[in-house]
Amino acid sequence: MTQLTSEHLQTLEAEITHNLHTLIDLELEDAYSEMSTQFAKLLASVQAANLIDYKLDVLVEPELFATETQILLKSLIEAKTRPNNRHKLLTHRMILKIWLRKNQRFTYENLPQMF
């Protein structure tokens, strides 16, 4: 596994934060197809940084990373450990739901507006 520099980690955190805000906006617009595409690109970046593998297994300790990276990694772990009904495949949508609900901006500012 390649060693990530502090600069790479900061760039990844900025990318995750930017994508989070974009995904929140897309969620509010019900643009699910675009959300899935954006999220797939983000997961590819996280995989390229060797934080997850192709099966979406987390390869690092989430606590060692900045806030949004940590929340994303913990969301992946939680999504993988949740029991799936009827043996459904883990989907981006399932992971996104967990990740968005773990984010305070989404939970306190955007989620109440959806109802």
Side-chain angles (χ1 to χ4, degrees):
M1 185 160 80
T2 58
Q3 192 72 350
L4 291 174
T5 65
S6 176
E7 184 177 316
H8 284 110
L9 291 174
Q10 289 173 345
T11 301
L12 182 62
E13 176 74 4
E15 181 180 353
I16 290 171
T17 302
H18 172 74
N19 271 280
L20 174 66
H21 295 271
T22 301
L23 291 167
I24 288 171
D25 293 339
L26 292 172
E27 171 80 13
L28 294 173
E29 297 168 8
D30 294 330
Y32 301 116
S33 178
E34 192 173 342
M35 280 177 68
S36 186
T37 301
Q38 283 289 119
F39 193 60
K41 289 177 185 176
L42 177 61
L43 289 177
S45 293
V46 175
Q47 184 180 356
N50 292 316
L51 303 184
I52 61 172
D53 65 11
Y54 71 96
K55 298 180 291 183
L56 303 180
D57 288 329
V58 176
L59 303 174
V60 294
E61 285 297 321
E63 291 78 17
L64 300 176
F65 295 89
T67 305
E68 294 304 335
T69 304
Q70 184 179 129
I71 291 171
L72 176 59
L73 295 173
K74 287 181 175 182
S75 298
L76 283 166
I77 292 168
E78 184 177 329
K80 292 212 49 139
T81 58
R82 281 190 172 183
N84 290 331
N85 296 336
R86 291 169 279 155
H87 305 288
K88 289 190 290 188
L89 291 174
L90 182 64
T91 63
H92 289 166
R93 183 115 172 99
M94 296 164 133
I95 300 166
L96 272 168
K97 283 181 182 178
I98 293 169
W99 186 34
L100 290 176
R101 283 190 171 80
K102 284 183 178 280
N103 180 273
Q104 288 186 354
R105 176 180 168 230
F106 180 74
T107 302
Y108 296 114
E109 293 177 23
N110 301 106
L111 194 58
Q113 296 172 16
M114 296 173 74
F115 297 102

